[in-house]
Amino acid sequence: MNKWLKGTLIASAAVTVAGAVLLGVGIALGGSPFFYYDTDGLHVKENTEETAKQDYVLESTKIGALSSLELDLQNADLQIVSGDDWSVEYVLDGECSQPVYSVENGTLILKEGSYLRTGYYRFGFGYGNGWMYDSETMARSPYVKITVPENARLDSVNISSGYGKISIEKNLRADSAVVYGEYGNIRLDGWTGDTLNVETEYGDLAAGTLDGSEVTIRGAYGSLQIDSLKTDLAAIESEYGDVTADVDQAQSVDVDCSDGEVRLNLAGKLEDYGVSLYSEYGTIRVPQGTVESDDYDGSSSFIRLADGQDTAGIQIETEYGDIRIREK
């Protein structure tokens, strides 16, 4: 080893030892070897207040009769229940920006704020970094609860949710209703109205009786279950989840499923509706038995029309999923 390299190694070792000694002295004096950087700049223990922000809280408040709901939530769970009076309450995350809340001209508007802190970069070694997370150790259970009288009817309902659950624990009477959930499950005990549009990305849908003129339901990665479908027109689309529904009354039901099983229970006979079924790689089962697949490409199809009917009232198409039709 030449003298230059040997000298460099000795100097490096000396600097490392000196740095370790100074680090130990700094920690012993109450310092911290950690820091983080966000949109507000560089933070070390000495310039960071250890105070957590308070959640936004609205105690249960009676409001006048409503004609519409406009709800845009990020992380809060939503619960809509029956009660004697119209009321609203919420607890929303204090780490988010202030929510927008108003009740004007029969419309309830509630928009949950987004997180204030973005662009986190943390660095450190050793122990004693708890102060960096103090503001995140608050109990997090954000929610919104809305009470609607049992027989009240709304003109319109628009609900959008990011990560929270949507629980409509009543028969929702709304002429027009749009419900969108990105990551949370959707529970809809019932709906009566003109048009209903439900969409879920990564959550499941569990619905009760859907009774109206037109129903559109779309699911990406969750299962779709409908206890009773009573509608003139119904369009159901699923990418990677199963579809289960009881069809008690319908003029037209169109189901398109890429990778999942479709199970329909019909109130009546196949001939009462007229059915057209097609599965590219799945098996079709009807009350008459299992449909034989095509010898050429392995697909399966089944058509049964009512007398004088040109187009089937129930049309189902799957790519990789099975189709099962039963008569109740």
Side-chain angles (χ1 to χ4, degrees):
M1 183 181 297
N2 58 48
K3 293 182 179 180
W4 180 85
L5 180 58
K6 183 176 181 180
T8 300
L9 293 176
I10 293 174
S12 299
V15 171
T16 301
V17 171
V21 171
L22 292 175
L23 175 62
V25 172
I27 295 176
L29 293 176
S32 173
F34 296 88
F35 66 88
Y36 70 86
Y37 177 82
D38 62 12
T39 54
D40 295 326
L42 183 66
H43 300 266
V44 295
K45 184 176 182 180
E46 288 71 24
N47 74 350
T48 302
E49 296 182 3
E50 299 183 8
T51 58
K53 296 182 178 180
Q54 296 296 315
D55 288 337
Y56 304 103
V57 178
L58 176 68
E59 300 291 345
S60 181
T61 302
K62 291 184 179 181
I63 54 178
L66 300 175
S67 59
S68 61
L69 301 177
E70 298 288 338
L71 309 176
D72 186 356
L73 306 179
Q74 300 292 328
N75 302 284
D77 292 335
L78 172 64
Q79 184 182 25
I80 299 178
V81 299
S82 294
D84 296 330
D85 299 302
W86 299 84
S87 67
V88 60
E89 65 179 85
Y90 61 72
V91 175
L92 300 177
D93 197 337
E95 288 294 326
C96 297
S97 57
Q98 186 171 355
V100 175
Y101 166 72
S102 68
V103 180
E104 296 180 2
N105 299 322
T107 299
L108 168 62
I109 298 175
L110 179 56
K111 182 176 181 180
E112 186 178 8
S114 57
Y115 277 108
L116 292 170
R117 292 186 174 182
T118 57
Y120 262 95
Y121 298 94
R122 292 189 175 96
F123 176 79
F125 50 90
Y127 299 94
N129 66 332
W131 63 272
M132 292 200 298
Y133 304 91
D134 281 346
S135 62
E136 299 179 0
T137 58
M138 298 172 58
R140 301 289 185 217
S141 56
Y143 76 90
V144 174
K145 182 178 180 180
I146 299 173
T147 302
V148 178
E150 178 60 32
N151 295 320
R153 191 179 186 95
L154 294 157
D155 293 336
S156 65
V157 172
N158 286 283
I159 299 172
S160 177
S161 176
Y163 293 88
K165 296 180 295 183
I166 299 174
S167 298
I168 303 176
E169 302 169 18
K170 69 182 303 296
N171 183 45
L172 181 65
R173 300 176 183 273
D175 293 340
S176 173
V178 177
V179 181
Y180 171 78
E182 187 170 3
Y183 286 93
N185 294 334
I186 298 176
R187 169 185 171 181
L188 176 56
D189 284 2
W191 166 79
T192 303
D194 292 330
T195 60
L196 172 67
N197 191 315
V198 180
E199 183 174 353
T200 173
E201 294 291 341
Y202 297 93
D204 299 329
L205 167 66
T209 299
L210 306 182
D211 187 354
S213 299
E214 185 174 349
V215 171
T216 302
I217 296 175
R218 179 186 177 275
Y221 294 91
S223 62
L224 307 176
Q225 180 175 337
I226 304 170
D227 290 344
S228 179
L229 190 60
K230 298 179 179 180
T231 182
D232 295 337
L233 305 175
I236 303 173
E237 180 181 349
S238 175
E239 292 187 36
Y240 297 98
D242 295 339
V243 176
T244 304
D246 280 18
V247 180
D248 293 320
Q249 176 183 323
Q251 295 181 9
S252 174
V253 178
D254 191 347
V255 182
D256 189 349
C257 185
S258 296
D259 191 353
E261 183 176 359
V262 177
R263 297 182 291 270
L264 293 189
N265 301 313
L266 306 182
K269 302 295 183 180
L270 293 180
E271 292 79 4
D272 296 337
Y273 301 88
V275 298
S276 175
L277 315 176
Y278 174 81
S279 180
E280 189 168 355
Y281 298 103
T283 300
I284 297 177
R285 295 180 176 88
V286 294
Q288 291 76 15
T290 301
V291 177
E292 294 185 4
S293 59
D294 186 277
D295 293 335
Y296 176 71
D297 60 7
S299 64
S300 300
S301 61
F302 178 89
I303 297 176
R304 179 69 58 85
L305 299 180
D307 292 339
Q309 188 179 40
D310 296 328
T311 303
I314 294 178
Q315 301 188 45
I316 303 175
E317 182 174 339
T318 68
E319 189 171 355
Y320 293 97
D322 297 339
I323 300 174
R324 182 187 296 269
I325 303 295
R326 292 177 176 175
E327 299 171 343
K328 296 194 297 181

Coordinates of all heavy atoms in Angstrom, one line a residue, residues 260-328:
G260 N -65.3 -13.3 -14.5 CA -66.1 -13.5 -13.4 C -67.4 -14.3 -13.7 O -67.8 -14.3 -14.9
E261 N -68.0 -14.9 -12.7 CA -69.2 -15.7 -12.9 C -70.4 -14.8 -12.8 O -70.5 -13.9 -12.0 CB -69.2 -16.8 -11.9 CG -70.4 -17.8 -12.1 CD -70.4 -18.9 -11.2 OE1 -69.5 -19.0 -10.3 OE2 -71.4 -19.7 -11.2
V262 N -71.4 -15.1 -13.7 CA -72.7 -14.4 -13.7 C -73.7 -15.4 -13.3 O -73.9 -16.4 -13.9 CB -73.0 -13.8 -15.1 CG1 -74.4 -13.1 -15.0 CG2 -71.9 -12.8 -15.5
R263 N -74.5 -15.0 -12.2 CA -75.5 -15.9 -11.7 C -76.8 -15.0 -11.6 O -76.9 -14.1 -10.8 CB -75.2 -16.4 -10.3 CG -74.0 -17.4 -10.3 CD -73.7 -17.9 -8.9 NE -73.3 -16.9 -8.0 CZ -72.0 -16.5 -7.8 NH1 -71.1 -17.2 -8.5 NH2 -71.7 -15.6 -7.0
L264 N -77.8 -15.4 -12.4 CA -79.1 -14.7 -12.4 C -80.2 -15.7 -11.9 O -80.3 -16.8 -12.5 CB -79.5 -14.1 -13.7 CG -78.6 -13.0 -14.3 CD1 -79.3 -12.4 -15.5 CD2 -78.4 -11.9 -13.2
N265 N -81.1 -15.3 -11.0 CA -82.2 -16.0 -10.6 C -83.5 -15.3 -11.1 O -83.7 -14.2 -10.7 CB -82.3 -16.1 -9.1 CG -81.0 -16.8 -8.5 OD1 -80.6 -17.8 -9.0 ND2 -80.4 -16.2 -7.5
L266 N -84.2 -15.9 -12.0 CA -85.3 -15.3 -12.6 C -86.6 -15.7 -12.0 O -86.9 -16.8 -11.6 CB -85.4 -15.8 -14.1 CG -84.1 -15.6 -15.0 CD1 -84.4 -16.1 -16.4 CD2 -83.7 -14.2 -14.9
A267 N -87.5 -14.6 -11.7 CA -88.8 -14.9 -11.3 C -89.7 -15.2 -12.5 O -90.2 -14.3 -13.2 CB -89.3 -13.6 -10.5
G268 N -89.9 -16.5 -12.7 CA -90.6 -16.9 -13.9 C -89.8 -17.8 -14.8 O -88.7 -18.3 -14.4
K269 N -90.2 -18.0 -16.0 CA -89.5 -18.9 -16.9 C -88.6 -18.1 -17.8 O -88.8 -16.9 -18.0 CB -90.6 -19.7 -17.7 CG -91.5 -20.5 -16.9 CD -90.8 -21.6 -16.1 CE -91.8 -22.5 -15.4 NZ -91.1 -23.6 -14.6
L270 N -87.7 -18.9 -18.5 CA -86.8 -18.2 -19.4 C -87.7 -17.6 -20.5 O -87.3 -16.5 -21.0 CB -85.9 -19.3 -20.1 CG -84.8 -19.9 -19.2 CD1 -84.0 -20.9 -20.0 CD2 -83.9 -18.9 -18.6
E271 N -88.7 -18.3 -20.9 CA -89.5 -17.8 -22.0 C -90.3 -16.5 -21.7 O -90.7 -15.7 -22.6 CB -90.6 -18.8 -22.5 CG -89.9 -20.1 -23.1 CD -89.4 -21.0 -22.1 OE1 -89.5 -20.8 -20.9 OE2 -88.8 -22.0 -22.5
D272 N -90.4 -16.2 -20.4 CA -91.1 -15.0 -20.0 C -90.2 -13.7 -20.3 O -90.7 -12.6 -20.5 CB -91.4 -15.0 -18.5 CG -92.4 -16.1 -18.1 OD1 -93.1 -16.5 -19.0 OD2 -92.3 -16.5 -16.9
Y273 N -88.9 -13.9 -20.4 CA -88.0 -12.8 -20.7 C -87.4 -12.9 -22.1 O -87.2 -11.9 -22.7 CB -86.9 -12.8 -19.6 CG -87.3 -12.7 -18.2 CD1 -87.6 -13.8 -17.4 CD2 -87.4 -11.5 -17.6 CE1 -88.1 -13.7 -16.1 CE2 -87.8 -11.3 -16.3 CZ -88.2 -12.5 -15.6 OH -88.6 -12.4 -14.2
G274 N -87.0 -14.1 -22.4 CA -86.2 -14.3 -23.6 C -84.7 -14.1 -23.2 O -84.4 -13.0 -22.7
V275 N -83.9 -15.1 -23.5 CA -82.5 -14.9 -23.0 C -81.5 -15.2 -24.2 O -81.8 -16.0 -25.1 CB -82.2 -15.9 -21.9 CG1 -83.0 -15.6 -20.6 CG2 -82.3 -17.3 -22.3
S276 N -80.4 -14.5 -24.2 CA -79.3 -14.7 -25.1 C -78.0 -14.8 -24.3 O -77.6 -13.8 -23.7 CB -79.3 -13.6 -26.2 OG -78.1 -13.8 -27.0
L277 N -77.4 -15.9 -24.3 CA -76.2 -16.1 -23.4 C -75.0 -16.5 -24.3 O -75.1 -17.3 -25.2 CB -76.5 -17.2 -22.4 CG -77.8 -17.2 -21.6 CD1 -78.0 -18.4 -20.7 CD2 -77.9 -15.9 -20.9
Y278 N -73.8 -15.9 -23.9 CA -72.6 -16.3 -24.7 C -71.4 -16.2 -23.7 O -71.3 -15.2 -23.0 CB -72.4 -15.4 -25.9 CG -71.1 -15.6 -26.6 CD1 -70.9 -16.6 -27.5 CD2 -69.9 -14.8 -26.3 CE1 -69.7 -16.9 -28.1 CE2 -68.7 -15.1 -26.9 CZ -68.6 -16.1 -27.8 OH -67.4 -16.3 -28.4
S279 N -70.6 -17.2 -23.7 CA -69.4 -17.2 -23.0 C -68.2 -17.8 -23.8 O -68.3 -18.8 -24.5 CB -69.5 -18.1 -21.7 OG -68.3 -18.1 -21.0
E280 N -67.2 -17.0 -23.9 CA -66.1 -17.3 -24.8 C -65.3 -18.5 -24.2 O -64.9 -19.4 -25.0 CB -65.1 -16.1 -25.0 CG -64.1 -16.4 -26.0 CD -63.4 -15.1 -26.4 OE1 -63.7 -14.0 -25.9 OE2 -62.4 -15.1 -27.2
Y281 N -65.0 -18.6 -22.9 CA -64.2 -19.7 -22.4 C -64.9 -20.3 -21.2 O -64.4 -21.2 -20.5 CB -62.9 -19.2 -21.9 CG -62.0 -18.7 -23.1 CD1 -61.8 -17.3 -23.3 CD2 -61.4 -19.6 -24.0 CE1 -61.1 -16.8 -24.3 CE2 -60.7 -19.1 -25.0 CZ -60.5 -17.7 -25.2 OH -59.7 -17.2 -26.2
G282 N -66.1 -19.9 -20.8 CA -66.8 -20.4 -19.6 C -67.9 -21.4 -20.0 O -68.2 -21.7 -21.1
T283 N -68.5 -21.9 -18.9 CA -69.6 -22.9 -19.0 C -71.0 -22.2 -18.8 O -71.1 -21.4 -17.9 CB -69.4 -24.0 -18.0 OG1 -68.2 -24.7 -18.3 CG2 -70.5 -25.0 -18.2
I284 N -71.9 -22.6 -19.6 CA -73.3 -22.0 -19.4 C -74.2 -23.1 -18.9 O -74.3 -24.2 -19.4 CB -73.9 -21.5 -20.8 CG1 -73.0 -20.4 -21.3 CG2 -75.3 -21.1 -20.6 CD1 -73.5 -19.9 -22.7
R285 N -74.9 -22.8 -17.8 CA -75.8 -23.7 -17.2 C -77.2 -23.0 -17.1 O -77.3 -21.9 -16.5 CB -75.4 -24.1 -15.8 CG -74.1 -24.9 -15.7 CD -73.7 -25.3 -14.3 NE -72.5 -26.2 -14.3 CZ -71.3 -25.7 -14.3 NH1 -71.1 -24.4 -14.3 NH2 -70.3 -26.6 -14.2
V286 N -78.2 -23.7 -17.6 CA -79.6 -23.2 -17.6 C -80.5 -24.3 -17.0 O -80.0 -25.4 -16.7 CB -80.1 -22.9 -19.1 CG1 -79.3 -21.7 -19.6 CG2 -79.9 -24.1 -20.0
P287 N -81.7 -24.0 -16.7 CA -82.6 -25.0 -16.1 C -82.6 -26.3 -16.9 O -82.9 -27.4 -16.3 CB -84.0 -24.3 -16.0 CG -83.6 -22.8 -15.9 CD -82.4 -22.7 -16.7
Q288 N -82.5 -26.2 -18.2 CA -82.5 -27.4 -19.0 C -81.2 -28.3 -18.9 O -81.2 -29.4 -19.4 CB -82.8 -27.0 -20.5 CG -84.2 -26.5 -20.7 CD -84.3 -25.0 -20.2 OE1 -83.4 -24.4 -20.0 NE2 -85.6 -24.6 -20.1
G289 N -80.2 -27.7 -18.3 CA -78.9 -28.4 -18.2 C -77.8 -27.6 -18.6 O -77.9 -26.4 -18.9
T290 N -76.6 -28.3 -18.8 CA -75.4 -27.6 -19.2 C -75.3 -27.5 -20.7 O -75.5 -28.5 -21.4 CB -74.1 -28.3 -18.6 OG1 -74.2 -28.4 -17.2 CG2 -72.9 -27.6 -19.1
V291 N -75.0 -26.3 -21.2 CA -74.9 -26.1 -22.6 C -73.6 -26.7 -23.2 O -72.5 -26.3 -22.6 CB -75.1 -24.6 -23.0 CG1 -74.9 -24.4 -24.5 CG2 -76.4 -24.1 -22.5
E292 N -73.6 -27.4 -24.2 CA -72.4 -28.0 -24.8 C -71.6 -26.9 -25.5 O -72.2 -26.0 -26.2 CB -72.7 -29.1 -25.8 CG -73.3 -30.3 -25.1 CD -73.5 -31.5 -26.1 OE1 -73.1 -31.3 -27.3 OE2 -74.1 -32.5 -25.7
S293 N -70.3 -26.9 -25.4 CA -69.4 -25.9 -26.0 C -69.2 -26.3 -27.4 O -69.4 -27.4 -27.9 CB -68.1 -25.8 -25.2 OG -67.4 -27.1 -25.3
D294 N -68.8 -25.3 -28.2 CA -68.5 -25.4 -29.6 C -67.2 -26.2 -29.8 O -66.2 -25.9 -29.1 CB -68.4 -24.0 -30.3 CG -68.2 -24.1 -31.8 OD1 -67.1 -24.3 -32.2 OD2 -69.3 -24.0 -32.4
D295 N -67.3 -27.2 -30.6 CA -66.1 -28.0 -30.9 C -64.9 -27.2 -31.5 O -63.8 -27.6 -31.3 CB -66.4 -29.2 -31.8 CG -67.4 -30.2 -31.1 OD1 -67.4 -30.2 -29.8 OD2 -68.1 -30.9 -31.8
Y296 N -65.2 -26.2 -32.2 CA -64.2 -25.5 -32.9 C -63.4 -24.5 -32.0 O -62.2 -24.6 -32.0 CB -64.8 -24.7 -34.1 CG -63.8 -23.8 -34.8 CD1 -62.9 -24.4 -35.7 CD2 -63.9 -22.4 -34.7 CE1 -62.0 -23.6 -36.4 CE2 -63.0 -21.6 -35.4 CZ -62.0 -22.2 -36.2 OH -61.1 -21.5 -36.9
D297 N -64.1 -23.6 -31.3 CA -63.3 -22.7 -30.5 C -63.6 -22.8 -29.0 O -63.0 -22.0 -28.2 CB -63.6 -21.2 -31.0 CG -65.1 -20.9 -30.8 OD1 -65.9 -21.7 -30.3 OD2 -65.5 -19.8 -31.3
G298 N -64.4 -23.7 -28.6 CA -64.7 -23.9 -27.1 C -65.7 -22.9 -26.5 O -65.9 -23.0 -25.3
S299 N -66.2 -22.0 -27.3 CA -67.2 -21.1 -26.7 C -68.5 -21.8 -26.6 O -68.8 -22.9 -27.1 CB -67.3 -19.9 -27.7 OG -67.9 -20.3 -28.9
S300 N -69.4 -21.1 -25.8 CA -70.7 -21.6 -25.5 C -71.8 -20.6 -25.8 O -71.5 -19.4 -25.4 CB -70.9 -22.2 -24.1 OG -69.9 -23.2 -23.8
S301 N -72.9 -20.9 -26.3 CA -74.0 -20.0 -26.5 C -75.4 -20.6 -26.3 O -75.5 -21.9 -26.6 CB -73.9 -19.3 -27.9 OG -74.0 -20.3 -28.9
F302 N -76.3 -19.8 -25.9 CA -77.7 -20.3 -25.7 C -78.7 -19.2 -26.0 O -78.5 -18.1 -25.4 CB -77.8 -20.9 -24.3 CG -79.2 -21.4 -23.9 CD1 -79.6 -22.7 -24.1 CD2 -80.2 -20.5 -23.4 CE1 -80.8 -23.1 -23.8 CE2 -81.4 -21.0 -23.1 CZ -81.8 -22.3 -23.3
I303 N -79.7 -19.5 -26.8 CA -80.7 -18.5 -27.1 C -82.1 -19.1 -26.9 O -82.3 -20.2 -27.4 CB -80.5 -17.9 -28.5 CG1 -79.2 -17.2 -28.7 CG2 -81.7 -17.0 -28.8 CD1 -78.9 -16.7 -30.1
R304 N -82.9 -18.4 -26.2 CA -84.3 -18.9 -26.0 C -85.2 -17.6 -26.0 O -85.2 -16.8 -25.1 CB -84.5 -19.6 -24.7 CG -85.9 -20.1 -24.5 CD -86.3 -21.2 -25.4 NE -85.4 -22.4 -25.4 CZ -85.5 -23.4 -24.5 NH1 -86.5 -23.4 -23.6 NH2 -84.7 -24.4 -24.6
L305 N -86.0 -17.4 -27.1 CA -86.8 -16.2 -27.2 C -88.3 -16.6 -26.9 O -88.7 -17.7 -27.1 CB -86.7 -15.6 -28.6 CG -85.3 -15.2 -29.0 CD1 -85.4 -14.6 -30.5 CD2 -84.8 -14.1 -28.1
A306 N -89.0 -15.5 -26.5 CA -90.4 -15.7 -26.3 C -91.1 -15.6 -27.6 O -90.6 -15.2 -28.6 CB -90.9 -14.6 -25.3
D307 N -92.4 -16.1 -27.6 CA -93.1 -16.1 -28.9 C -93.3 -14.6 -29.4 O -93.6 -13.7 -28.7 CB -94.5 -16.6 -28.6 CG -94.5 -18.1 -28.3 OD1 -93.5 -18.8 -28.7 OD2 -95.5 -18.6 -27.7
G308 N -92.9 -14.5 -30.7 CA -93.0 -13.2 -31.3 C -91.9 -12.2 -30.9 O -92.0 -11.0 -31.3
Q309 N -90.9 -12.7 -30.2 CA -89.8 -11.8 -29.7 C -88.7 -11.8 -30.7 O -88.2 -12.9 -31.1 CB -89.4 -12.2 -28.3 CG -88.4 -11.3 -27.6 CD -88.1 -11.8 -26.2 OE1 -87.9 -13.0 -26.0 NE2 -88.0 -10.8 -25.3
D310 N -88.2 -10.6 -31.1 CA -87.0 -10.6 -32.0 C -85.7 -10.4 -31.2 O -84.7 -10.9 -31.7 CB -87.2 -9.3 -32.9 CG -88.4 -9.5 -33.8 OD1 -88.7 -10.6 -34.2 OD2 -89.0 -8.4 -34.1
T311 N -85.7 -9.7 -30.1 CA -84.5 -9.5 -29.3 C -84.7 -10.0 -27.9 O -85.8 -9.8 -27.3 CB -84.1 -8.0 -29.2 OG1 -84.0 -7.6 -30.6 CG2 -82.9 -7.8 -28.5
A312 N -83.8 -10.7 -27.3 CA -83.9 -11.3 -26.0 C -83.9 -10.1 -24.9 O -83.2 -9.1 -25.1 CB -82.7 -12.2 -25.7
G313 N -84.8 -10.3 -23.9 CA -84.8 -9.3 -22.9 C -83.6 -9.4 -21.9 O -83.2 -8.4 -21.3
I314 N -83.1 -10.6 -21.8 CA -81.9 -10.8 -20.9 C -80.7 -11.2 -21.8 O -80.8 -12.3 -22.5 CB -82.1 -11.8 -19.8 CG1 -83.2 -11.2 -18.9 CG2 -80.8 -12.1 -19.1 CD1 -83.5 -12.2 -17.7
Q315 N -79.7 -10.4 -21.9 CA -78.5 -10.7 -22.7 C -77.3 -10.7 -21.8 O -77.0 -9.7 -21.1 CB -78.3 -9.7 -23.8 CG -79.5 -9.6 -24.7 CD -79.3 -8.8 -25.9 OE1 -78.2 -8.8 -26.6 NE2 -80.2 -7.9 -26.3
I316 N -76.5 -11.8 -21.8 CA -75.3 -12.0 -20.9 C -74.2 -12.4 -21.8 O -74.3 -13.3 -22.6 CB -75.6 -13.0 -19.8 CG1 -76.8 -12.6 -18.9 CG2 -74.3 -13.1 -18.9 CD1 -77.2 -13.6 -17.9
E317 N -73.0 -11.8 -21.6 CA -71.8 -12.1 -22.3 C -70.7 -12.1 -21.3 O -70.5 -11.2 -20.6 CB -71.6 -11.2 -23.4 CG -70.3 -11.6 -24.3 CD -70.1 -10.7 -25.5 OE1 -71.1 -10.1 -26.0 OE2 -69.0 -10.7 -26.0
T318 N -69.9 -13.2 -21.3 CA -68.7 -13.3 -20.5 C -67.5 -13.7 -21.3 O -67.7 -14.3 -22.4 CB -68.8 -14.3 -19.3 OG1 -68.9 -15.6 -19.8 CG2 -70.1 -14.0 -18.5
E319 N -66.3 -13.4 -20.8 CA -65.1 -13.9 -21.6 C -64.6 -15.1 -20.9 O -64.4 -16.2 -21.5 CB -64.1 -12.7 -21.6 CG -62.9 -13.1 -22.5 CD -62.0 -11.8 -22.7 OE1 -62.3 -10.7 -22.2 OE2 -61.0 -12.0 -23.3
Y320 N -64.2 -15.0 -19.6 CA -63.6 -16.2 -18.9 C -64.5 -16.7 -17.8 O -64.2 -17.7 -17.1 CB -62.3 -15.8 -18.3 CG -61.2 -15.5 -19.3 CD1 -61.0 -14.2 -19.7 CD2 -60.5 -16.5 -19.9 CE1 -60.0 -13.9 -20.6 CE2 -59.5 -16.2 -20.8 CZ -59.3 -14.9 -21.1 OH -58.3 -14.6 -22.1
G321 N -65.7 -16.2 -17.6 CA -66.6 -16.6 -16.5 C -67.7 -17.5 -16.9 O -68.1 -17.5 -18.1
D322 N -68.2 -18.3 -16.0 CA -69.4 -19.1 -16.2 C -70.6 -18.3 -16.2 O -70.7 -17.2 -15.6 CB -69.4 -20.2 -15.2 CG -68.2 -21.2 -15.3 OD1 -67.6 -21.2 -16.4 OD2 -67.9 -21.9 -14.3
I323 N -71.7 -18.8 -16.7 CA -73.0 -18.2 -16.7 C -74.0 -19.3 -16.1 O -74.1 -20.4 -16.6 CB -73.5 -17.8 -18.0 CG1 -72.6 -16.7 -18.7 CG2 -75.0 -17.2 -18.0 CD1 -72.9 -16.3 -20.1
R324 N -74.7 -18.9 -15.1 CA -75.7 -19.8 -14.5 C -77.0 -19.1 -14.3 O -77.1 -18.0 -13.7 CB -75.2 -20.2 -13.1 CG -76.2 -21.2 -12.4 CD -75.7 -21.5 -11.0 NE -74.4 -22.1 -10.9 CZ -74.2 -23.5 -10.9 NH1 -75.3 -24.2 -11.0 NH2 -73.0 -24.0 -10.9
I325 N -78.1 -19.7 -15.0 CA -79.4 -19.1 -14.9 C -80.3 -20.1 -14.2 O -80.4 -21.3 -14.5 CB -80.0 -18.8 -16.3 CG1 -79.0 -17.9 -17.1 CG2 -81.4 -18.2 -16.2 CD1 -78.9 -16.5 -16.6
R326 N -81.1 -19.6 -13.2 CA -82.0 -20.4 -12.5 C -83.4 -19.7 -12.5 O -83.5 -18.5 -12.7 CB -81.6 -20.6 -11.0 CG -80.4 -21.4 -10.9 CD -80.0 -21.5 -9.4 NE -78.8 -22.4 -9.2 CZ -78.2 -22.6 -8.1 NH1 -78.6 -21.9 -7.0 NH2 -77.2 -23.4 -7.9
E327 N -84.4 -20.6 -12.4 CA -85.8 -20.1 -12.3 C -86.3 -20.2 -10.9 O -86.2 -21.3 -10.3 CB -86.7 -20.9 -13.3 CG -86.3 -20.7 -14.8 CD -87.1 -21.7 -15.7 OE1 -87.7 -22.6 -15.1 OE2 -87.1 -21.4 -16.9
K328 N -86.8 -19.2 -10.3 CA -87.3 -19.2 -8.9 C -88.7 -19.7 -8.9 O -89.5 -19.5 -9.8 CB -87.2 -17.8 -8.3 CG -85.8 -17.2 -8.2 CD -85.7 -16.1 -7.3 CE -86.5 -14.9 -7.8 NZ -86.4 -13.7 -7.0

